[in-house]
Amino acid sequence: QKEVEQNSGPLSVPEGAIASLNCTYSDRGSQSFFWYRQYSGKSPELIMFIYSNGDKEDGRFTAQLNKASQYVSLLIRDSQPSDSATYLCAVKGYSTLTFGKGTMLLVSP
Amino acid sequence: DVKVTQSSRYLVKRTGEKVFLECVQDMDHENMFWYRQDPGLGLRLIYFSYDVKMKEKGDIPEGYSVSREKKERFSLILESASTNQTSMYLCASSLYGGQGEQYFGPGTRLTVT
């Protein structure tokens, strides 16, 4: 059974700080990794994906992948109250995604 | 932008009713997916389809069936709704051969009484 593990949180950070969200996965053969943001009562929205070891930056978001450690993270710089949401990590298997249960992020003004 | 739409945002049905949830995507994606999302359980895959008239069971197919007669449309059917099928249902689509990124519809909150 492929597993994707995330700390459920909540992770509380002050406005302007860096939020660090982490995810580990069990399937060593996984190739693509995704971060989704989900506001309460809304559907998941794709933020970014990564498939090579290292960092990938998109605006205030940076995804980091370490395949040897089976670890993927999302950094949010200059966190804003509007970033308060649940962040889902997803890992691609052969044809489907396995999702973690998400980490709730709370950014306080 | 990819657009995935679902037929209803909120739906209330009675136990034993047959329920149809419709999903349409406008980006010519081959792959389509149905999930349910419950507190504490996360997103769970019910069924997916990688082509017209093709379907594959996901992790929790019991009590559900699907239909894909056209590429853009993927329907989830609850043959005889039960209270334990009260949930948020999410449809998603993705491009075959891409990195696998899925785009979600707005979801249908189904309540079975």
Side-chain angles (χ1 to χ4, degrees), chain B residues 12-16 81-83 86 111-113:
Chain B
V12 179
K13 295 292 182 181
R14 292 191 181 275
T15 301
S82 64
T83 55
T86 292
T111 301
V112 182
T113 62

Side-chain angles (χ1 to χ4, degrees), chain B residues 19-80:
Chain B
V19 181
F20 293 86
L21 303 181
E22 302 283 332
C23 175
V24 177
Q25 51 93 5
D26 68 356
M27 285 303 293
D28 204 34
H29 283 176
E30 291 83 4
N31 301 330
M32 296 188 74
F33 307 84
W34 275 107
Y35 296 88
R36 62 178 285 178
Q37 188 175 32
D38 303 285
L41 297 178
L43 274 165
R44 293 182 290 168
L45 182 63
I46 304 171
Y47 268 97
F48 65 101
S49 168
Y50 52 87
D51 202 352
V52 175
K53 297 193 185 295
M54 304 299 289
K55 60 184 179 182
E56 296 284 343
K57 292 180 180 179
D59 300 319
I60 51 163
E62 297 79 18
Y64 304 94
S65 62
V66 291
S67 172
R68 190 156 183 211
E69 296 296 321
K70 293 185 178 181
K71 188 176 184 180
E72 67 272 17
R73 188 179 298 268
F74 192 34
S75 301
L76 180 70
I77 304 155
L78 287 64
E79 296 290 343
S80 177

